Amino acid sequence: MFKKAQKIVGSVLHIIEVSIAVLLTIAILFLCIPLIPSIMDLLSPHANISDLQNILEYAFSLIIGIEFVKMVCKPTAGNVVEVLMFAVARYVIIDHSAILNSLL
């Protein structure tokens, strides 16, 4: 009886995880749409480095979201490490903080 209840709870939790992953994927797809005109604006002669920094920050946030969805769908150690790598890369590239802070 306990094993059956455990299996049912596991199935329900798996369905909830997949549902959240699908909703997050749809949200990320919708959030990618405003990125396209921003990238095209970089081609104009009036673009500056702060525009590129804003686009990189936005893109890294979307990439971290994608990696998080992958981690939710397949929670392996490799996927967890990928999410951490992108989060650290975003921090190092976007924040431009002191090297000691980045190292820590």
Side-chain angles (χ1 to χ4, degrees):
M1 182 69 171
F2 181 72
K3 293 246 185 215
K4 186 176 180 179
Q6 211 174 18
K7 189 173 182 177
I8 291 171
V9 169
S11 298
V12 169
L13 291 176
H14 181 70
I15 291 170
I16 292 171
E17 278 181 348
V18 171
S19 300
I20 290 172
V22 167
L23 291 174
L24 283 173
T25 303
I26 292 169
I28 289 170
L29 287 173
F30 280 120
L31 290 172
C32 285
I33 295 170
L35 193 60
I36 296 168
S38 298
I39 292 172
M40 294 302 171
D41 288 343
L42 283 178
L43 300 175
S44 74
H46 304 293
N48 58 24
I49 196 70
S50 65
D51 296 336
L52 177 62
Q53 186 173 357
N54 291 336
I55 290 172
L56 283 175
E57 185 176 346
Y58 193 79
F60 264 117
S61 296
L62 291 175
I63 290 168
I64 291 169
I66 291 167
E67 291 298 326
F68 179 74
V69 170
K70 282 175 44 180
M71 186 182 70
V72 168
C73 291
K74 292 184 180 182
T76 63
N79 286 341
V80 173
V81 169
E82 283 183 18
V83 171
L84 290 174
M85 280 186 344
F86 281 114
V88 169
R90 180 185 183 277
Y91 178 77
V92 169
I93 292 171
I94 302 299
D95 287 342
H96 301 294
S97 60
I99 193 69
L100 185 60
N101 290 340
S102 297
L103 182 63
L104 291 176

